[in-house]
């Protein structure tokens, strides 16, 4: 996501702040006032771009020939050196001199329509999984960092390195004070490096673990 925002949209990396949402997914905050005026439609356009939706076959040089599903290759004058054009070109191992190779690829796919369908599947696969409702809603109030998510008991926290971030360690902000809970069903999880495999009717757990099981609907406070 950061690579898309910085590389494709030109947002300075220092203006991109990543937070774990406290449950499923991450929030990407952009601290740049020039983006504040974006309305729902503009945000929807960004969602489509980031998700890889709606890329035209013509944008990477494949054009429908008149009178059928045949295709011919004519690369755009601006080349294939940036954005989705570059991503697709790298995936297909082509450049602006690869007219014959791209023509053969289109023929192997079965023609213009089949190539376009394959291109759509490819870009969606390469794109970012993003919640369009959250992103396009200009009235949504986002959770404050440090607050707990009621669906998990985990906190919204800033992420320094998304690759090494572990929400079941780094987002367990409640302490180790013991709390008694009553189990509704067998439950298990790994939190802060400890494996919990709960089968008895009641248990006494650290607060962060008790909150997790209660918020997940697997237990109630005893």
């Amino acid at each position: 996501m950061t690579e898309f925002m910085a590389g494709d949209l030109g947002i300075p990396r220092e203006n991109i702040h990543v937070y774990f949402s406290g449950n499923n997914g991450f929030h990407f905050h952009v601290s740049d006032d020039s983006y504040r005026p974006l309305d729902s439609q503009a945000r929807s356009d960004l969602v489509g771009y980031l998700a890889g939706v709606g890329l035209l076959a013509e944008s990477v040089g494949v054009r429908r020939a008149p009178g059928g599903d045949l295709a011919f290759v004519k690369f755009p004058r601006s080349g294939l050196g940036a954005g989705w054009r570059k991503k697709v070109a790298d995936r297909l191992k082509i450049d602006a001199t690869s007219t014959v190779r791209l023509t053969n690829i289109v023929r192997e796919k079965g023609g213009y329509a089949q190539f376009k369908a394959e291109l759509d599947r490819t870009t969606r696969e390469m794109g970012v999984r993003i919640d369009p409702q959250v992103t396009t809603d200009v009235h949504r109030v986002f959770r404050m960092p440090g607050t707990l998510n009621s669906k998990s008991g985990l906190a919204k926290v800033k992420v320094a390195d998304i690759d090494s971030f572990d929400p079941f360690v780094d987002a367990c902000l409640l302490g180790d004070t013991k709390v008694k809970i009553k189990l509704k069903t067998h439950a298990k999880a790994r939190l802060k490096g400890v494996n919990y495999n709960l089968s008895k009717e009641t248990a006494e757990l650290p607060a962060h673990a008790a909150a997790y099981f209660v918020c997940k609907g697997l237990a109630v406070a005893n």
Side-chain angles (χ1 to χ4, degrees):
M1 179 70 160
T2 301
E3 294 303 320
F4 273 87
M5 296 173 76
D8 290 29
L9 303 181
I11 301 173
R13 290 179 183 272
E14 60 270 21
N15 290 348
I16 303 172
H17 309 284
V18 184
Y19 292 85
F20 171 60
S21 69
N23 192 31
N24 294 322
F26 296 83
H27 295 159
F28 285 73
H29 295 197
V30 176
S31 57
D32 186 334
D33 289 342
S34 62
Y35 285 87
R36 290 187 182 277
L38 294 183
D39 59 14
S40 293
Q41 183 56 55
R43 290 168 182 262
S44 180
D45 292 341
L46 281 177
V47 168
Y49 182 86
L50 294 170
V53 175
L55 183 68
L56 298 176
E58 286 79 2
S59 67
V60 294
V62 178
R63 304 169 187 270
R64 188 193 294 271
D69 193 42
L70 298 177
F72 67 96
V73 172
K74 182 179 180 181
F75 290 115
R77 291 183 179 180
S78 54
L80 303 172
W84 272 110
R85 289 176 178 175
K86 184 178 189 310
K87 291 176 176 60
V88 172
D90 290 344
R91 174 66 71 93
L92 298 178
K93 298 180 180 179
I94 62 171
D95 58 31
T97 66
S98 305
T99 302
V100 174
R101 174 171 171 74
L102 184 54
T103 299
N104 289 335
I105 290 173
V106 176
R107 286 175 179 170
E108 289 171 4
K109 298 298 181 184
Y112 176 89
Q114 289 83 353
F115 175 81
K116 186 175 183 300
E118 179 65 22
L119 177 65
D120 187 59
R121 286 192 292 270
T122 298
T123 54
R124 287 174 184 268
E125 175 190 318
M126 296 170 64
V128 178
R129 293 182 181 180
I130 189 168
D131 187 334
Q133 281 192 316
V134 171
T135 307
T136 60
D137 187 352
V138 296
H139 303 294
R140 182 175 290 265
V141 177
F142 285 91
R143 182 178 304 281
M144 289 289 291
T147 59
L148 301 185
N149 191 304
S150 62
K151 296 179 180 179
S152 68
L154 303 176
K156 177 174 179 176
V157 293
K158 192 169 186 178
V159 177
D161 181 5
I162 198 168
D163 293 323
S164 62
F165 178 78
D166 184 347
F168 299 109
V169 175
D170 303 320
C172 292
L173 295 194
L174 288 180
D176 295 329
T177 302
K178 297 296 183 180
V179 176
K180 291 182 179 180
I181 60 172
K182 183 176 181 179
L183 276 298
K184 295 181 180 180
T185 184
H186 175 262
K188 60 181 180 179
R190 181 176 175 82
L191 301 164
K192 294 182 75 171
V194 177
N195 289 317
Y196 295 94
N197 193 347
L198 310 176
S199 57
K200 296 182 179 180
E201 184 177 352
T202 61
E204 189 174 69
L205 305 176
H208 62 269
Y212 178 82
F213 289 115
V214 170
C215 290
K216 285 297 182 180
L218 301 173
V220 294
N222 192 7

